[in-house]
Amino acid sequence: MKLTWFGHSTFRMDFDGVSVLVDPFLNGNPSFTGSYEEAIKGVSVVAITHGHGDHFGDTLDIAKRNEATVVSVFEICSYVTAQGHDKTNPLGKGGTVTQSGLSFSYVDAKHSSSFTDADGVTHYMGEAGGMIISDGETSLYHLGDTDIFADMGLIFDRFKPKIGLVPIGDRFTMGQKDAARAVNTFMPFEVVIPCHYKTFPIIDQDHAIFEAELENKAAFRPMEVGVPITL
């Protein structure tokens, strides 16, 4: 599986024959300086952890251009359908769906979720969550935006994801020390990738504390924006 980080919490996952974009915040994302067309090329599934603009992002445009299926909580899928795109696969917390040969499981997160459209209308987008994505061999846990919580241990025990995409930027999510504590205590990933940092001035600009606090240094694998890695 090839993984590409486009900054903030936006990741592209290229499995064998299936390309997934999670939380596709490209336009307006100051960390993303690549080609929008290249970033979305071939994407057939868009997965959304919650409805805030810096996560819902370009969902509608990508879904309509690519005829992609949106996988997310029921309320987000309902909003997408109301905007004229009916290829969705809704689920709720505790639920798992299959899409294009992959499994998507929606799990808890401690955060809020709403979306303000171009007319200034704010829409309820369900509860925020995390997403576990697996092809049966490689499994990733995108935590979404969240605080630390003890049930992370139950989630890890249930799904045993190998790769963790962990928000560390503070203010709107866990800060670096709590993010490291979450991994050390509840989620012993084989690979730990930080996200949701150095996008805007009001969140943390580096990962130094997170790296220093992690007990398993070998698992830590920070990514460069736009540079894919193979896992």
Side-chain angles (χ1 to χ4, degrees), residues 8-134:
H8 208 52
S9 293
T10 305
F11 289 87
R12 175 173 173 142
M13 304 165 187
D14 291 292
F15 295 91
D16 186 16
V18 184
S19 296
V20 180
L21 204 54
V22 181
D23 287 357
F25 175 46
L26 298 170
N27 287 305
N29 177 353
S31 295
F32 176 70
T33 58
S35 164
Y36 179 78
E37 300 296 334
E38 285 299 314
I40 71 171
K41 184 177 180 180
V43 169
S44 59
V45 181
V46 179
I48 313 297
T49 63
H50 66 288
H52 287 155
D54 59 335
H55 293 260
F56 186 77
D58 300 293
T59 293
L60 290 172
D61 181 66
I62 296 166
K64 290 177 180 180
R65 283 199 199 197
N66 291 14
E67 282 298 307
T69 299
V70 175
V71 178
S72 191
V73 68
F74 174 79
E75 288 82 357
I76 288 179
C77 287
S78 296
Y79 177 78
V80 168
T81 300
Q83 304 311 304
H85 185 75
D86 61 1
K87 294 187 70 173
T88 66
N89 197 346
L91 74 173
K93 288 183 181 178
T96 297
V97 298
T98 300
Q99 181 63 49
S100 303
L102 305 175
S103 68
F104 295 80
S105 301
Y106 199 65
V107 298
D108 200 13
K110 301 303 181 184
H111 196 60
S112 56
S113 180
S114 63
F115 180 71
T116 302
D117 64 25
D119 296 322
V121 178
T122 299
H123 302 267
Y124 172 63
M125 293 294 226
E127 291 190 10
M131 193 81 72
I132 296 174
I133 303 170
S134 177

Side-chain angles (χ1 to χ4, degrees), residues 163-230:
I163 303 159
L165 310 178
V166 182
I168 68 167
D170 211 347
R171 187 178 290 264
F172 302 111
T173 70
M174 298 181 288
Q176 296 190 55
K177 287 191 174 184
D178 276 341
R181 185 177 295 113
V183 173
N184 293 339
T185 306
F186 303 120
M187 301 176 292
F189 298 113
E190 294 179 16
V191 178
V192 178
I193 297 169
C195 63
H196 208 280
Y197 73 110
K198 69 177 181 181
T199 321
F200 305 107
I202 59 173
I203 59 179
D204 286 353
Q205 300 302 300
D206 62 47
H207 55 250
I209 296 172
F210 181 62
E211 181 179 9
E213 295 281 332
L214 281 176
E215 293 173 357
N216 183 6
K217 307 295 187 189
F220 184 58
R221 193 162 180 182
M223 294 183 66
E224 296 181 40
V225 175
V227 179
I229 61 174
T230 300

